[in-house]
Amino acid sequence: MTSPAPSKANAAASGPADKEAHKPSNFLRQIIEKDLAEGTYGSRRWGGSPGDAAHHAAGQPDPARVRLRFPPEPNGYLHVGHAKSICLNFGLARDYGGVCHLRFDDTNPEKEDTEYVNSIKDAVQWLGFGWDNKSPAGHESNLYQASDYFDFMYRAAEYLIEAGHAYVDEQTVEQMRISRGDFAHPGTDSPFRSRTPEQNLARFREMRDGLHEDGSMVLRAKIDMASPNINLRDPAIYRIRRAHHHHTGDKWCIYPMYTFAHPIEDALEQITHSLCTLEFEDQRPFYDWLLDRLCEGGLVATPHPHQYEFARLNLTYVLTSKRKLAQLVYDHKVSGWDDPRMPTIVGLRRRGYTPEALQLFAERIGVTKSDSWIDYSTLEGALRDTLDPIAPRAMAVLDPIKLVLTNWDAVMGAGKLDDCSAPVHPHHPELGKRSFKIGKEVWIERTDFEETPPKGFFRLFPGNKVRLKYGHVIECTGCSKDANGNVTEVQATLIPDTKSGTPGSDAVKVKGVITWVGVNDAVQAEVRLYERLFVEAHPDAGGKDFIENLNPNSLKVLQAVVEPSLAAAKADDKFQFERHGYFAADRVDHAAGRPVFNLAVGLKDSWGK
Ligand code: ATP
Ligand code: MG
């Protein structure tokens, strides 16, 4: 038995190259290039950590030319949409001499799970990125959590109140909803809108001190109740919520709203380009309004960050909502977040996706300013294209039936085994060869034999000749059946002097070549075949219950036989099973002596059509 020569596919994942090949431009690259050319952010200073205007003013000129951030909420596992955002943000930072922060957006006092925090960190690093950056001041770890900024957010809220830009509103939720108006009607002022800053400050402090019920009042920005942008009609910025926060405990019973918190997080971290998905476009005026006010008050450094929106990833046959993915997990529709059918990063990884494949996918889909759907095959194509040049080849028989070479003993000698070999990779002779043995009995695919062949069938049927790949030409002579008429064994005779690679071996012409595994050195393996998790391209479109669109055939488990080189496969190793597709040794269940392979993606052209 030989193991495949080490190959790049199965070496430890290496990070993205420093020297990137020329990348196609996009609107975000153009914005960054223009800002760099014009020195938009050239005057920024960096205090070595997030902070207010004074903190950064005391620092040095920012060694990072741009700062971006990836700000997940730690409330689930990241999915392929987040992978796009990670590749985008960290990729732009890398390409333009900047840094990208990983920021846990944990301002919502929900139960955070360290499981989620850790999985997010793993996902970013596995994709080839990191938050540990070098700076002239030394090492800088740009890993942050937004709840660290609660004190500053509170201070910013008090500042807005004092400057006459915010007020405490005691209307009911329903009153507020009605007075907000709609697209056709301007809103009307709250009766609480004309309170003095002193009154508002006193009230807000009472909110903070726990003197009022949850939901009894909110702090609102005082902007314009008649604004055509409803988000500027005095949005709520702080609410009362008696909730235990996993980091700040019970210190606060008021929490900032996301739309208030997010711009502040960006500003404290000196983010230059704050990228978000298109849903936030209508929030941009408030983002700017808020940071303009805080700059006026000298609370945050100028120039403040700017928000740019790009289209989120929508992928056919795939859900990209953490909440809906969580439902699949908790309802046991899949085996867990890392089920190989899940579009989570852990699921894709277990399926056999590589960081390179996801980076290539992100590059190919690019970034645009309008929503669209990406075909699932684009994701699969990126995987195939990255695995094809590097994955070692192997033969596997997924649905085995025994083929007996009835003249073997006479032609080759009783009990004799003949050595065969094949390249580890057809385009990389330097990777060496794999070897296996052929004997009197071999396993072949059940579908490679037809007693009565349909038109155009070139594989085994009585009287037809095919080549056993890397082996000999054989001629089918018949089959045996059980009482029910099911084929239990196929018989053939070996044609002497036709072994691949020997002189004159191609004298006998055949139309079909089939893959096989010798009974003598076959390795038993579990093979898990996957199909798309949903039968509908848009499983949750129009409020449809996506559970009803689950594909009942998305997982098929087979007891297969594989060539002996695969006995040395280690968890996560990727292979091309010739004729079948790309397979990965399962990260969780694969073990020496008990191999388990996942179908990562099929070959482009299906065999034997
Ligand atoms: P979900 O609705 O699945 O929870 P989310 O947007 O609320 O997604 P966050 O943790 O808030 O998840 O997202 C972190 C970052 O990932 C955000 O900057 C967001 O823009 C980005 N992101 C999330 N989903 C996608 C997607 N489908 N395509 C591109 N970027 C995405
Ligand atoms: Mg979110």
Side-chain angles (χ1 to χ4, degrees), residues 362-561:
E363 228 166 84
R364 284 184 177 168
I365 60 177
V367 278
T368 60
K369 282 198 266 199
S370 58
D371 273 318
S372 64
W373 283 82
I374 301 292
D375 202 273
Y376 189 71
S377 60
T378 309
L379 179 66
E380 294 184 315
L383 179 59
R384 205 180 277 122
D385 292 350
T386 41
L387 288 184
D388 178 53
I390 54 173
R393 275 35 176 179
M395 286 204 289
V397 176
L398 304 188
D399 182 13
I401 187 168
K402 196 178 275 179
L403 170 79
V404 178
L405 299 171
T406 51
N407 63 344
W408 180 273
D409 291 352
V411 177
M412 303 295 290
K416 171 109 169 39
L417 296 173
D418 196 15
D419 291 319
C420 298
S421 73
V424 169
H425 192 289
H427 303 136
H428 293 290
E430 74 280 7
L431 293 178
K433 297 203 167 259
R434 37 192 244 262
S435 47
F436 35 86
K437 292 183 194 298
I438 188 166
K440 180 171 182 157
E441 296 181 334
V442 300
W443 297 110
I444 60 167
E445 293 292 345
R446 192 172 295 276
T447 51
D448 280 348
F449 172 77
E450 292 279 356
E451 202 176 6
T452 331
K455 204 162 172 277
F457 185 84
F458 296 124
R459 289 165 282 152
L460 282 179
F461 54 90
N464 194 41
K465 293 191 187 72
V466 299
R467 176 174 294 284
L468 294 175
K469 196 166 187 191
Y470 311 117
H472 309 71
V473 174
I474 60 170
E475 178 171 348
C476 185
T477 52
C479 66
S480 311
K481 291 188 204 168
D482 64 14
N484 298 321
N486 297 314
V487 178
T488 52
E489 184 190 285
V490 179
Q491 292 102 26
T493 52
L494 183 116
I495 316 258
D497 305 324
T498 55
K499 186 171 169 198
S500 274
T502 58
S505 64
D506 50 4
V508 181
K509 297 285 177 228
V510 292
K511 281 192 176 167
V513 178
I514 65 172
T515 46
W516 56 279
V517 172
V519 167
N520 180 265
D521 59 6
V523 172
Q524 305 289 323
E526 179 175 318
V527 168
R528 299 173 182 169
L529 298 184
Y530 300 100
E531 282 180 17
R532 292 164 190 199
L533 188 52
F534 294 98
V535 288
E536 295 265 342
H538 308 286
D540 56 349
K544 262 186 296 188
D545 181 4
F546 55 88
I547 298 291
E548 309 210 324
N549 290 325
L550 280 167
N551 176 1
N553 303 316
S554 59
L555 168 63
K556 202 153 122 196
V557 179
L558 304 175
Q559 296 307 321
V561 286

